[in-house]
Amino acid sequence: AQVGCAPAAVPIQTSPSGPGTAAVDEGANKTLVLAQLNALVLGAWGGASTVGGGFALIGVHSTGLSTLDGQGNRVARIAAELPSLSNGSIMVLPDGRMSMTWHLRPDVTWQDGTPFTADDVVFSHQALIDIPPGGTDLNYLVQQVEAPDPHTVTMTWKTPYYDALALDQRNFYLIPKHLLSKAYTDNKENRDAFLSDPYFSTAFVNLGPFRLQDWALGQQATFERYPGYFLGLPKVGKIVIQVIPDQNALAAALRAGTVDIVPQMALSAPLSLVLRDEWQASGEGIIADHQANWWGLWFQWDSQWARPPEVPRDRRLRAGLYEAIDRKTLQEFVYPGVANTNSDSLVPAYDPRAAVAGQPFARYAYDPDKAVRDLIEAGWSRTAEGRLLDRAGNPVQLEIKAAQVFGPPMAVVADQWRKIGIDAQEMIAPPFSGPNAANSQFTGVQLQGRGAAEGVFPVFDSRLIASAANSYTGVNTNNYANPGLDRLIDQLYGTLDATERGPILKQMGELMADDLGALPTYWLINFLELRKSVRGPLADDFRNGDPLGYNTSRNAHLWEHA
């Protein structure tokens, strides 16, 4: 294999623990082995997918201006403190834009020893914009980034934005100006040439606790601890990240003890649950779980496609359909023995605002007899054989569509609807092939999910409906429109204080439960696998992190190997 080396190591200094003695560095010769399903990618470009687990491990070698604390609250990381309205570092300008000032820690260095400065932040933003896709859409909300001095950054946002403090390694990836400015200048109109720079493989350095030591064609990477890391010397000497592209082989490596950690979205839920049961008996490790996406049945709201056409027009029909679904049975079928699968709230249980938001969908209890009464009251009828007929007198046929991997829960819902007399027709959606008209032209309901709390609402924003006008790039593929919800979305995304968004989330949840724009069924659960040899805050950081686990490895410097 081709192997490259990072810049020369900085010597590790030991601290005296007494006269004439040196502290014992028990972690120096310890190695943690991590494994992911997808290919290794260094840098922001090409690594945005959450599938395979790789993105959850970026915190091993990289970090950002902010991160999360142990309770999932946003805190400063490379920044000395978070900007705030109270101290004037966040200001809404007279023209509606927003100014934000970040003060940087003075003790942060790149892993080659070069000081990190505000110029690196300015350069990173420019590169992320000029050489897309280099990050999330959040980058495009920032109009201008300036560096008035080496440790101060001012950002001008096009509009106030609720998540403007979330400038972590996912949303605002930092890259070194001193190493990449020439490649950027020479190739900013040639993405492939820019990414062919050795920086993105053998010469990679960033700001995290572990720096690249060996790069073997991206199939395995060895990272050694960086002694200059601003939060202190990491507790293990090395971290190895392996690529094992087969889930069964990945599970076998965990069982054998050749792999210590597998991040979320690498192993499937069924495999994770099998391992959970095995390890509960043997004590060889733990499986941590975490609510990820609010999952449910999304209706077709465009009358030209909806069948039966009266379903999007009459809330009573949607309520009847919902009351016919035994959600507890469905949740136990999908995630046996897992808590926190209840989707009655669009705010996950670990979110401090969950109590404020409440459980607005809990009012719809499973009751098939009431479901039939509601459907008949709304204009449907039932034959002597128990078949439901629509308002035109035709047998009710309702298409339910899901991706292949979600075929089993789709079948459970379809079977429950058949029990009350609906001809539920299951349909496997084709693999996603990019934006196209077909994505928004289904006829019944889609089993799908989207985000948590604030992240739920883009798929219900009428201004984001997929249409020919936006080349079907809009994320609202169910064609839902509710002016009241749109107004609350604007209020939510314009409120900078997360705690102040709690009551707004409650209003939005109540509105959605009243209207039943979707029928929530369960929370999608992600799993993290850890062998018993792993010590440190990893499991808690995963459980109390962001919905997709981007910040799971934010405290990699505190991981230990027993």
Side-chain angles (χ1 to χ4, degrees), residues 112-169:
D112 62 359
T114 303
F116 168 78
T117 72
D119 284 341
D120 291 309
V121 182
V122 176
F123 173 71
S124 298
H125 177 252
Q126 196 62 55
L128 292 170
I129 293 295
D130 288 346
I131 309 176
T136 64
D137 290 341
L138 186 149
N139 297 286
Y140 297 95
L141 299 177
V142 179
Q143 185 176 49
Q144 187 176 37
V145 181
E146 298 174 291
D149 65 58
H151 297 112
T152 305
V153 174
T154 59
M155 294 182 177
T156 303
W157 293 69
K158 297 175 183 177
T159 184
Y161 182 64
Y162 81 100
D163 216 16
L165 297 177
L167 300 190
D168 53 22
Q169 69 274 10

Side-chain angles (χ1 to χ4, degrees), residues 507-551:
Q507 291 182 62
M508 299 173 87
E510 294 293 341
L511 184 153
M512 292 185 68
D514 287 342
D515 196 35
L516 286 178
L519 309 181
T521 51
Y522 57 83
W523 278 93
L524 185 72
I525 304 295
N526 284 340
F527 298 91
L528 171 75
E529 294 80 21
L530 304 175
R531 286 194 62 82
K532 64 180 180 180
S533 56
V534 179
R535 299 286 187 272
L538 176 54
D540 286 340
D541 284 347
F542 168 66
R543 293 186 182 106
N544 297 299
D546 49 291
L548 292 180
Y550 290 104
N551 284 276

Side-chain angles (χ1 to χ4, degrees), residues 413-485:
V413 173
D415 183 63
Q416 291 177 351
W417 278 345
R418 291 186 190 109
K419 288 178 179 178
I420 65 166
I422 292 173
D423 180 9
Q425 301 179 335
E426 301 164 46
M427 179 178 177
I428 297 297
F432 182 73
S433 58
N436 62 76
N439 293 335
S440 55
Q441 294 176 359
F442 63 97
T443 64
V445 294
Q446 294 190 97
L447 181 62
Q448 61 183 42
R450 172 65 186 240
E454 288 91 346
V456 165
F457 297 104
V459 293
F460 299 104
D461 189 330
S462 69
R463 295 152 297 188
L464 300 178
I465 288 176
S467 66
N470 58 29
S471 301
Y472 297 97
T473 57
V475 294
N476 181 347
T477 57
N478 49 317
N479 299 292
Y480 180 77
N482 185 319
L485 184 63

